């Protein structure tokens, strides 16, 4: 058991929870949304816990560094797609698109920055952590509680707050990377597309 990498196991479990969350969410029971919310919440807690264990047990690995952010994005994207279908309203779809678009932009930016050896320039900051916390609270509330109720309404407000922080944090990341990106209108014949 000493050679077991618990942080990686928790991350893999988090990925495995995604189909379970979807399956439960679509069950024809009144409590299905609440159980999906619980699964989502457990996944969020394991996200914090696997990072803590990786540092505490000195079990950080390249595999974990790759899979952990992928697992986060997969579970958030899946939950947002479920909510967009359920609510079927632009008032939920717009912040969902903002959140998902930011994740795509920042993932691409981090990948590019890593290729040129400047990944630290786009490291996670406090703003990103606040955004993630608000996003998780919002998604959990929207998954688990009845539409139009007090908790779902508060969750909807949190989702908009998260979308605002999402745009703000994306701006900060892009601002930090801009000197390395150069002028967006400049032509460089060395870069192929």
């Amino acid at each position: 058991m000493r050679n077991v990498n618990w942080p990686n196991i928790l991350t893999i479990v988090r990925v495995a929870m995604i189909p379970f969350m979807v399956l439960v969410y679509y069950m024809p029971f009144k409590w299905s949304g609440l159980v999906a919310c619980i699964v989502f919440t457990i996944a969020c807690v394991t996200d914090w816990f696997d990072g803590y264990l990786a540092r505490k047990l000195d079990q950080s690995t390249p595999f974990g560094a790759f899979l952990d952010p992928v697992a986060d994005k997969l579970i958030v994207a899946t939950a947002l797609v479920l909510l967009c279908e359920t609510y079927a309203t632009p008032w939920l779809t717009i912040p969902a698109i903002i959140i998902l678009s930011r994740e795509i932009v920042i993932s691409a930016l981090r990948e590019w920055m890593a290729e040129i050896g400047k990944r630290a320039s786009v490291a996670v900051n406090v703003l990103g952590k606040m955004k993630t916390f608000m996003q998780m609270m919002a998604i959990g509330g929207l998954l688990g509680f009845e539409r139009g109720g007090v908790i779902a309404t508060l969750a909807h407000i949190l989702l908009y707050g998260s979308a605002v922080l999402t745009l703000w944090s994306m701006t900060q990341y892009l601002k930090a990377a801009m000197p390395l990106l150069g002028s967006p209108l400049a032509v460089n014949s060395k870069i192929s597309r």
Side-chain angles (χ1 to χ4, degrees):
M1 293 295 270
R2 184 170 286 184
N3 293 331
V4 174
N5 189 301
W6 291 109
N8 286 353
I9 288 173
L10 282 176
T11 303
I12 291 166
V13 166
R14 193 158 77 251
V15 172
M17 292 170 87
I18 296 170
F20 181 67
M21 180 183 73
V22 173
L23 181 67
V24 168
Y25 189 75
Y26 281 116
M27 288 183 146
F29 303 113
K30 191 170 184 168
W31 47 260
S32 61
L34 187 58
V35 174
C37 169
I38 291 167
V39 172
F40 180 80
T41 303
I42 291 169
C44 293
V45 171
T46 63
D47 177 30
W48 174 83
F49 199 57
D50 66 19
Y52 170 78
L53 283 178
R55 289 184 297 276
K56 181 91 173 160
L57 302 175
D58 194 28
Q59 290 188 331
S60 297
T61 64
F63 177 75
F66 157 73
L67 190 60
D68 183 61
V70 170
D72 300 344
K73 286 164 184 46
L74 286 174
I75 199 152
V76 166
T78 301
L80 286 172
V81 168
L82 292 174
L83 292 170
C84 285
E85 182 194 14
T86 300
Y87 279 74
T89 171
W91 305 117
L92 193 128
T93 304
I94 290 168
I97 288 170
I98 290 169
I99 290 166
L100 293 175
S101 298
R102 182 260 188 201
E103 295 304 336
I104 292 166
V105 169
I106 297 305
S107 292
L109 181 65
R110 283 188 179 137
E111 181 181 339
W112 179 77
M113 297 292 274
E115 280 182 28
I116 63 169
K118 300 284 186 179
R119 188 162 182 356
S121 301
V122 286
V124 176
N125 60 25
V126 175
L127 199 57
K129 290 183 180 188
M130 280 175 49
K131 179 266 313 174
T132 300
F133 179 74
M134 283 179 72
Q135 184 177 284
M136 299 303 185
M137 297 291 290
I139 292 170
L142 290 166
L143 281 173
F145 296 91
E146 234 177 276
R147 187 176 180 171
V150 174
I151 294 176
T153 302
L154 289 173
H156 212 129
I157 292 166
L158 274 177
L159 189 67
Y160 269 89
S162 171
V164 169
L165 284 179
T166 292
L167 289 173
W168 191 354
S169 70
M170 182 174 72
T171 304
Q172 299 305 310
Y173 283 122
L174 291 172
K175 198 186 292 186
M178 199 54 71
L180 297 166
L181 291 170
S183 170
L185 301 177
V187 176
N188 186 344
S189 59
K190 294 180 184 175
I191 297 174
S192 60
R193 293 181 197 248

